[in-house]
Amino acid sequence: MSWTKKVLRINLTEGTCTPEPLNMEWTEQFLGQRGLATKYLTEEVPPTTDPLSPENTMYMITGPLTGTMASTAGRYSVVTKSPLTGAVACSNSGGFFGNEMKCAGWDMIILEGKSPTPVYISINDDKAEILPADEIWGKSVWEADEWLHAKHQDPQLRCAVIGVSGEKGVRYAAIINDLHRAAGRSGVGTVMGSKNVKAIALRGSKGVTVNDPKAFFEATTAAKKILAENAVTGEGLPALGTQVLMNVINEMGAQPTHNYKEVSFAGASKISGEAMLEPRESDGKPNLTRNAGCFACTISCGRISTIDPQHFSVQNRDDLHKSYHANSGGLEYEAAWALGSDTGIDDLDALTYAQFVCNEQGLDPISLGSTIAAAMEMFEEGIITTEDTGGIELNFGNAEAMIKCTELVAIGEGFGLELGQGSARFCEKHGHPELSMTVRGQEFPAYDPRSIQGMGLGYATSNRGACHLRGYTVASEVLGIPIKTDPLETEGKAGLQIAFQNATAAFDSAGICIFTSFAWSLEDVAPQLDAAIEGDWTPERLGEIGERIWNLERLYNEAAGVGASADKLPPRMMSLPANTGPAEGKVSGLDTMLPEYYAERGWSPEGDVTAETKARLGL
Amino acid sequence: MSKKITVKLFASLMVHLPVNSTKSHGFDYKIDETTTVGFLIDDLKLPRDVIHIVLLNGVYLDAETRDAKVLTEGDTLGFWPPVAGG
């Protein structure tokens, strides 16, 4: 079967690496990856634990399909208690790290305690070592990755690394693997940094076996055919990537602009996926070089781009890593809106540069851009001045200022370290918490809740704080997948969100990418799992597992003090109507949707998981 | 004076843009009192099998009823193939 049934537990305080069996009983209830690691977290890390203390634990975990020939099966997740939100954190990444972990013979790597000095973890199949990282502590992800490859003399080495931001305590630091794939949200890189761990560098040569190879080949081939023939996964995503959404969301009046004051951005088309294809004046090349795929992916939505060599961000900058003058990953839609429309910046190359900085130093561009946007609003309102910003004229639309802030957050210095605490803490510190566009302390993604009502409910109830990847009802409300619903309606959105949230939790626990769900349902996932691992895996069982995972996360958050009391949107969403477009005059209908949501979840009217629901789900 | 609307084509549908269109994907299109979305699609020879999202002033037009929708002065009509992201 495609589980190795082995866990590598690394105690950084003691300096030990100890193999232990995977809890197979829990895989029956929580599948793998997101669900399974959350179960470990809830059993091992008390909900009141300080996220940046040695008592917090970090789980890097694969799913049952990770490392197999199923499409997109290179995924792994990082689960821990978040230093940004205080809630459960689960960040999912692609690239080639997860499959390598599985091929080395490990389903999960657990980091517990805290090393007294900077270290990295070296894993070569069964051999695991904790090694000194003094030479790469203080270096960027890209520099550390090069050093690790040179030291181990292995071009196939796969590295997951934190940047300087993660070392310095920036609360939305990411873990970057394969140079530009990120376990991006909720500050999982910050937790890794707090443990004095710079990198995990691993190499696996064992391969992955499946339970029934013939059935698995048939199931995965049939599922790949669905992806290939689907217009979104077979054509749309490879051609323009996530950035194709920029114009769609802007045209429908749901584009967050100027710290969510407005819902459309005049410069949207200049920073869109289509704009990335236009040849520039300086060298006749477009921003986009090509698309890219992660391990085993047959969609290949990733972007590989260059920055205009004559752009101010890179021109005459010999101090920059050479990749700024060549290629890196991006620009993705979530980075483009947060660093672009939310800050009022329509300079495509400035945004690409900022995304490259996020890659190099391990930052979540959503939290970064949103925090800068909040600071810009406070600067324009006179709440903060150049005395606070270290001399930066932080007006909306100022690309130089956005870049300066990004560079400072990346190395956790001065005003950058203050911005690095996230929008909620920044706005609170300056006396205006209402200007922070966050839920549970995590910054909003790219869809205005006044214009796409279901997403507002999704942000408010998301277990990891505001997020689009926990219940992406944009698929239905905007794109018509699987069926079109009215984005301005609140009726029926509770049930829609719950369906998306439960299914997503199952996808996230299987070892595959959530983007397959544009074409696949759980009906398509179940046969692949059924052939890969022991047991009977049906779509119904996966749906129930998704619901169980959601409730488990919720119970942990309740005990951590960020349960029902945190199910709310910023006052701007509830009282400042959308200023233009189809949603003009509308605010979020959260007050209508939330009671329905609680009822349909089987929770109390106050939003607590009831004893009956716990019993039904075996929690 | 003739009435006109703005037509916008995005993503793979951009190959159907007239040569004089702007960077913001749009171009003017003349209409009269009876011009419908369906007429416009056929007049511009837009590929019906590729069109997926149609927004009239930002509001989604569903596939079953959009052909009969009558356009009015100043409308903005946008077309996309099947797209997604996140």
Side-chain angles (χ1 to χ4, degrees):
Chain A
M1 70 189 307
S2 57
W3 286 120
T4 69
K5 301 185 181 179
K6 279 172 61 186
V7 172
L8 178 63
R9 186 179 291 272
I10 299 169
N11 187 309
L12 296 154
T13 308
E14 305 289 332
T16 55
C17 301
T18 312
E20 67 181 41
L22 185 72
N23 190 320
M24 296 307 293
E25 195 179 314
W26 289 350
T27 67
E28 297 283 320
Q29 293 174 288
F30 301 97
L31 195 52
Q33 217 173 333
R34 174 176 163 187
L36 183 58
T38 303
K39 177 62 176 170
Y40 271 84
L41 177 82
T42 59
E43 295 291 332
E44 297 183 351
V45 180
T48 51
T49 301
D50 175 355
L52 296 178
S53 71
E55 286 70 41
N56 196 8
T57 299
M58 194 182 105
Y59 305 85
M60 300 182 94
I61 183 167
T62 63
L65 292 176
T66 306
T68 71
M69 62 180 289
S71 185
T72 77
R75 311 299 297 192
Y76 76 101
S77 290
V78 182
V79 172
T80 188
K81 189 179 178 201
S82 165
L84 186 68
T85 66
V88 61
C90 174
S91 291
N92 183 311
S93 181
F96 298 82
F97 184 82
N99 52 289
E100 199 74 21
M101 189 199 305
K102 185 73 84 67
C103 282
W106 306 104
D107 294 319
M108 176 162 62
I109 299 167
I110 302 176
L111 298 182
E112 58 186 24
K114 178 181 180 177
S115 170
T117 56
V119 295
Y120 74 98
I121 314 298
S122 170
I123 297 168
N124 192 331
D125 288 340
D126 293 330
K127 186 181 177 189
E129 297 175 281
I130 303 172
L131 298 173
D134 302 299
E135 289 187 59
I136 46 175
W137 197 256
K139 302 287 187 186
S140 75
V141 170
W142 293 349
E143 291 166 333
D145 191 283
E146 283 173 13
W147 184 87
L148 289 162
H149 276 87
K151 181 176 169 68
H152 290 270
Q153 287 293 296
D154 184 355
Q156 301 276 43
L157 193 73
R158 298 297 179 185
C159 303
V161 190
I162 60 163
V164 175
S165 67
E167 299 173 14
K168 292 286 188 71
V170 167
R171 285 180 188 264
Y172 44 86
I175 298 171
I176 305 288
N177 56 278
D178 304 290
L179 300 176
H180 57 83
R181 303 307 309 185
R185 299 222 73 186
S186 309
V188 295
T190 320
V191 173
M192 189 159 139
S194 76
K195 297 186 174 303
N196 267 333
V197 175
K198 181 69 177 177
I200 293 106
L202 52 78
R203 184 77 170 91
S205 63
K206 296 187 176 189
V208 176
T209 57
V210 293
N211 212 34
D212 183 341
K214 183 171 184 295
F216 189 70
F217 184 79
E218 288 171 0
T220 54
T221 302
K224 285 175 189 173
K225 188 164 183 283
I226 293 170
L227 293 178
E229 291 176 352
N230 181 282
V232 168
T233 51
E235 295 170 36
L237 282 169
L240 286 166
T242 57
Q243 263 278 66
V244 77
L245 286 178
M246 179 66 73
N247 283 313
V248 183
I249 302 301
N250 193 59
E251 291 288 323
M252 68 172 292
Q255 184 73 30
T257 303
H258 298 135
N259 196 32
Y260 268 87
K261 281 195 291 187
E262 295 133 35
V263 296
S264 79
F265 180 48
S269 69
K270 292 170 72 178
I271 56 172
S272 65
E274 288 90 340
M276 290 170 70
L277 300 176
E278 290 175 14
R280 53 197 175 215
E281 287 182 10
S282 65
D283 59 2
K285 292 177 182 173
N287 171 279
L288 180 70
T289 306
R290 65 172 174 86
N291 67 323
C294 302
F295 174 82
C297 181
T298 56
I299 302 173
S300 299
C301 72
R303 306 288 94 184
I304 301 294
S305 302
T306 59
I307 301 165
D308 185 338
Q310 290 185 12
H311 189 260
F312 73 85
S313 60
V314 295
Q315 196 172 31
N316 302 320
R317 290 284 303 272
D318 294 337
D319 59 311
L320 295 174
H321 187 281
K322 59 185 179 293
S323 294
Y324 290 92
H325 304 291
N327 291 100
S328 185
L331 186 65
E332 299 292 343
Y333 176 52
E334 288 294 338
W337 89 270
L339 295 158
S341 66
D342 208 33
T343 63
I345 293 167
D346 62 4
D347 179 339
L348 179 65
D349 290 292
L351 305 186
T352 307
Y353 174 83
Q355 166 123 51
F356 283 15
V357 173
C358 291
N359 296 342
E360 192 196 1
Q361 292 290 12
L363 286 170
D364 170 9
I366 303 176
S367 290
L368 172 68
S370 184
T371 304
I372 293 173
M376 284 177 162
E377 182 171 357
M378 295 171 86
F379 187 84
E380 294 210 337
E381 294 295 324
I383 300 163
I384 60 172
T385 67
T386 50
E387 283 190 22
D388 300 291
T389 65
I392 301 170
E393 296 285 346
L394 203 51
N395 295 97
F396 282 118
N398 186 341
E400 288 89 346
M402 180 276 287
I403 281 178
K404 186 64 186 169
C405 289
T406 297
E407 291 175 339
L408 286 172
V409 176
I411 56 172
E413 283 191 1
F415 183 57
L417 188 56
E418 195 183 327
L419 290 172
Q421 300 311 298
S423 161
R425 286 176 175 82
F426 183 87
C427 293
E428 177 81 37
K429 177 181 174 182
H430 292 285
H432 287 270
E434 77 281 3
L435 297 182
S436 171
M437 298 301 123
T438 50
V439 172
R440 291 182 173 78
Q442 179 156 283
E443 290 74 10
F444 278 19
Y447 312 91
D448 197 293
R450 294 164 292 198
S451 312
I452 308 175
Q453 292 284 334
M455 289 306 283
L457 179 63
Y459 297 169
T461 58
S462 165
N463 288 323
R464 73 167 180 179
C467 180
H468 57 300
L469 294 173
R470 286 298 175 270
Y472 192 66
T473 56
V474 171
S476 170
E477 294 180 275
V478 179
L479 309 169
I481 304 169
I483 51 156
K484 184 72 176 65
T485 53
D486 185 348
L488 301 178
E489 267 295 332
T490 55
E491 192 179 342
K493 293 299 166 62
L496 189 71
Q497 256 301 335
I498 291 168
F500 271 83
Q501 288 173 344
N502 291 352
T504 299
F507 272 86
D508 284 348
S509 301
I512 52 176
C513 175
I514 190 61
F515 278 16
T516 58
S517 69
F518 291 125
W520 292 350
S521 69
L522 294 176
E523 299 268 353
D524 303 300
V525 179
Q528 301 183 72
L529 283 168
D530 201 53
I533 53 178
E534 290 159 8
D536 293 321
W537 296 89
T538 63
E540 295 74 26
R541 184 177 177 191
L542 291 175
E544 185 182 299
I545 283 177
E547 185 184 7
R548 185 177 296 122
I549 293 166
W550 191 269
N551 279 271
L552 181 71
E553 293 172 336
R554 176 75 171 192
L555 286 164
Y556 190 79
N557 283 353
E558 279 180 11
V562 283
S565 62
D567 290 344
K568 53 191 179 190
L569 296 174
R572 177 164 290 174
M573 297 300 109
M574 311 302 292
S575 59
L576 180 70
N579 66 325
T580 186
E584 186 172 352
K586 275 195 172 288
V587 296
S588 169
L590 180 65
D591 293 342
T592 307
M593 294 183 283
L594 198 55
E596 284 177 36
Y597 176 90
Y598 289 163
E600 291 192 34
R601 275 270 175 222
W603 296 351
S604 75
E606 293 75 36
D608 297 321
V609 182
T610 59
E612 293 79 12
T613 297
K614 276 199 274 189
R616 178 171 60 80
L617 295 169
L619 290 168
Chain B
M1 202 171 93
S2 61
K3 297 176 179 175
K4 62 186 179 184
I5 67 162
T6 301
V7 177
K8 292 184 176 182
L9 303 177
F10 297 95
S12 61
L13 289 171
M14 287 171 69
V15 297
H16 299 279
L17 281 168
V19 288
N20 62 346
S21 66
T22 68
K23 274 190 171 182
S24 57
H25 313 275
F27 56 94
D28 289 344
Y29 181 84
K30 289 179 184 172
I31 59 164
D32 61 28
E33 288 74 13
T34 62
T35 306
T36 62
V37 173
F39 176 86
L40 181 147
I41 289 172
D42 293 335
D43 187 41
L44 292 173
K45 298 184 173 57
L46 301 179
R48 286 180 174 274
D49 58 337
V50 178
I51 294 170
H52 179 67
I53 298 174
V54 182
L55 298 183
L56 179 59
N57 303 321
V59 177
Y60 185 90
L61 298 182
D62 69 65
E64 286 71 36
T65 59
R66 72 183 176 217
D67 272 15
K69 184 77 180 174
V70 178
L71 296 161
T72 56
E73 168 81 17
D75 279 347
T76 297
L77 186 63
F79 292 92
W80 284 264
V83 295

